[in-house]
Amino acid sequence: MSENKTQLAVQNTRALLREKLELLDRVRFSEPFNLELSFANVKETKETKCQNLVFAHLKEWAGRRSCIYELSVRNISLAEELAASFLQAKEDRRRGYALPKFNNSVRSNILYVGQSKRVANRLKQHVFSAPAATYALNLSRWVGGIDGMLSISVWALEEPCEPSILQDIEDSHWVLTSPIFGRKGAR
C-alpha cells in the first residue's frame, strides 16, 4: 500500500473509532439480576421446580434484551477445587459433551463470562447440560462432591446496541475479571 493509502486508512480508522465511542457513550445496562445455587442443587441433573421458576423469572426479566453474564464462586479455594474437577472431566475423551477452554490458572473467583440474547437458556446450559456440540460449563455433569455456592449475575442492555460494541464490552469484562474458563472474543 502506498503511504497515501495507509494515511487514508488511518484517518478512516480514527473516524470509525470516534463513531464507536459515541455509540458506546449511549450504552446503558440494567441493575444486575443475581441468583445463587448450591452445588448440591446443581449436581441434580434434573432441574427442580424451584430452579425452573428461577430461570423462568430470569427469562421474563431479560425478555429479548442482550445480556452479559458471569458465573462465580465466593473464593479462590473453591475455584481451585472446581478447576481440578473440571480438568478431570476434560481428560475423559468419551464424555460426550463439549467443555470450554481452561485458562491454565486460577487467578480469580470468576468461572465464566459470556453474553446472550437467550440468557436463561444459555445459563441452563452452563449450570445443567448443553447439547453435545455446544461449548458450555455443563456443571452438573462434573461438579461431583464439591460443596459451595454458584453465583450468577446478569446485566441486560437497556437499549439495543451494535453487536461489535457489546462484544467489546464483554471482552473488557473478561480482561478485568480473568475468568477460569472460556475465551475472549467472538465465537
Side-chain angles (χ1 to χ4, degrees):
M1 228 187 317
S2 71
E3 182 147 343
N4 190 28
K5 287 182 181 178
T6 56
Q7 285 304 99
L8 286 173
V10 168
Q11 289 172 358
N12 187 51
T13 302
R14 189 176 291 120
L16 291 171
L17 289 173
R18 274 194 207 107
E19 182 182 316
K20 201 170 197 177
L21 279 173
E22 288 175 18
L23 293 171
L24 186 58
D25 284 341
R26 291 185 238 152
V27 172
R28 299 287 177 268
F29 284 93
S30 67
E31 290 296 313
F33 181 103
N34 296 308
L35 64 116
E36 281 195 330
L37 298 168
S38 73
F39 284 114
N41 287 337
V42 168
K43 285 182 278 194
E44 299 171 11
T45 54
K46 278 176 73 172
E47 299 157 48
T48 66
K49 190 180 272 189
C50 180
Q51 291 163 343
N52 278 329
L53 286 173
V54 168
F55 282 103
H57 181 63
L58 172 58
K59 185 176 182 176
E60 182 180 318
W61 174 84
R64 300 185 66 68
R65 298 183 292 178
S66 293
C67 297
I68 289 182
Y69 60 88
E70 78 176 26
L71 289 83
S72 64
V73 292
R74 290 198 175 131
N75 56 54
I76 297 289
S77 61
L78 182 54
E80 288 170 339
E81 197 176 342
L82 283 164
S85 185
F86 174 88
L87 289 172
Q88 251 184 333
K90 191 112 175 160
E91 284 178 12
D92 181 5
R93 299 281 182 222
R94 298 169 296 145
R95 70 180 172 274
Y97 55 94
L99 287 169
K101 177 183 177 212
F102 174 67
N103 293 318
N104 295 321
S105 73
V106 180
R107 299 180 314 214
S108 159
N109 66 320
I110 306 300
L111 303 178
Y112 195 93
V113 169
Q115 67 165 295
S116 180
K117 282 189 176 183
R118 299 178 63 216
V119 71
N121 290 338
R122 183 65 176 136
L123 286 170
K124 280 182 173 183
Q125 293 174 345
H126 286 300
V127 174
F128 301 109
S129 62
T134 301
Y135 287 93
L137 285 174
N138 290 282
L139 284 166
S140 70
R141 296 178 185 224
W142 56 266
V143 78
I146 294 173
D147 189 30
M149 299 295 286
L150 172 68
S151 298
I152 301 172
S153 296
V154 180
W155 297 268
L157 275 174
E158 293 294 338
E159 300 290 329
C161 75
E162 292 288 323
S164 66
I165 290 176
L166 185 60
Q167 185 64 55
D168 289 342
I169 294 168
E170 178 194 350
D171 289 348
S172 182
H173 189 102
W174 197 95
V175 168
L176 291 170
T177 59
S178 301
I180 300 166
F181 309 110
R183 65 187 188 95
K184 186 179 90 165
R187 308 306 176 245

